[in-house]
Amino acid sequence: RRVHGQALESASIPIYDGAPNVQYFAPHTKSYIDANTFPSILSLAQYLRCLHKNQTLYDEYMKWRYLPLDDPGLRDFQALQSKSRVHTSCQMCVFAADMIRLTKGRTLTDVPIAKIGSTEATKVVWLRHYGQYRFIEAGLKSVDLHSLVEVVLEFMDKYPAPIVQDSGKKEVWTSLLYAIFRVGCKTLVHSDAMVASLPNQAELEIVAF
């Protein structure tokens, strides 16, 4: 992955031969050539020769550099970059605290620091940004994905995630919702059925960019 990033920084087209989920670690599906999609080394070599001679085809691999930041094709990579802003040490501390809480139960320090959403909620969930430890309690108007997304957007608006720079200075950025995961099991919450299956006070983690 590191070599992949260095190739992109040098305005080259990386030829990737590795994990099948490389698309989640690349800026765009047209920012690299996946060797695994070719039936043989010979067919890959033939494609590279064609690429070398065809400027139009080559330019297809450069178009992503000029796309607007809100382009859907860039979202996986932007979410990954957003998660990488959380220092590894912070991630380890949050993970350790989560494991203690999930195995030994919640304590007074785990109580949500604020409440948002419906005051006549049919279900309550706990929300936090990726890399954060404390939760915000959110009441759902109805037990469905639309209601959950609605309250998550309210959460993101009222409690934007901070970025801590190397200097120690905190900044806040306007973010877009990427995914909602259950804390501990990292299950993606993406359907009405998933929302209905959540226990009351389920702990959810928000990934945004």
Side-chain angles (χ1 to χ4, degrees):
R1 229 179 333 173
R2 183 181 176 186
V3 174
H4 183 194
Q6 290 173 338
L8 291 173
E9 290 170 3
S10 64
S12 301
I13 304 175
I15 302 171
Y16 186 83
D17 182 16
N21 62 341
V22 61
Q23 70 269 22
Y24 298 115
F25 301 94
H28 198 274
T29 54
K30 272 289 190 178
S31 65
Y32 64 95
I33 297 170
D34 188 356
N36 295 307
T37 61
F38 293 86
S40 65
I41 294 296
L42 178 60
S43 61
L44 173 59
Q46 290 172 338
Y47 181 76
L48 295 178
R49 291 187 66 180
C50 179
L51 183 67
H52 178 66
K53 296 177 181 179
N54 189 328
Q55 186 65 45
T56 302
L57 182 59
Y58 179 87
D59 289 343
E60 286 293 316
Y61 288 92
M62 294 294 145
K63 283 184 178 180
W64 68 270
R65 298 180 183 275
Y66 307 101
L67 293 174
L69 291 177
D70 59 352
D71 186 274
L74 301 176
R75 289 177 182 173
D76 289 332
F77 187 69
Q78 285 184 306
L80 179 67
Q81 293 294 94
S82 177
K83 292 178 70 175
S84 69
R85 293 189 181 108
V86 180
H87 195 279
T88 306
S89 298
C90 297
Q91 294 181 39
M92 291 175 64
C93 287
V94 171
F95 177 77
D98 284 346
M99 290 302 100
I100 292 173
R101 185 182 68 259
L102 293 171
T103 55
K104 296 187 176 181
R106 294 168 174 169
T107 66
L108 289 177
T109 59
D110 301 315
V111 175
I113 57 178
K115 296 182 180 182
I116 60 172
S118 175
T119 55
E120 299 178 355
T122 54
K123 179 173 285 190
V124 170
V125 294
W126 289 12
L127 305 175
R128 76 179 185 195
H129 287 287
Y130 176 82
Q132 304 291 299
Y133 177 72
R134 298 302 299 272
F135 291 93
I136 301 295
E137 184 174 289
L140 304 183
K141 290 188 296 185
S142 57
V143 186
D144 53 43
L145 185 61
H146 178 80
S147 182
L148 176 61
V149 171
E150 192 175 62
V151 79
V152 166
L153 294 177
E154 179 185 349
F155 162 74
M156 291 171 59
D157 181 58
K158 291 183 176 179
Y159 304 96
I163 299 176
V164 180
Q165 298 180 325
D166 292 338
S167 61
K169 180 182 178 181
K170 286 188 177 181
E171 288 188 356
V172 172
W173 83 101
T174 303
S175 54
L176 299 174
L177 175 62
Y178 176 74
I180 305 169
F181 293 95
R182 280 199 65 182
V183 174
C185 59
K186 296 299 181 183
T187 302
L188 180 65
V189 181
H190 64 288
S191 67
D192 290 343
M194 289 292 295
V195 176
S197 69
L198 293 174
N200 203 41
Q201 296 186 345
E203 300 175 356
L204 305 179
E205 194 165 69
I206 310 306
V207 177
F209 59 87

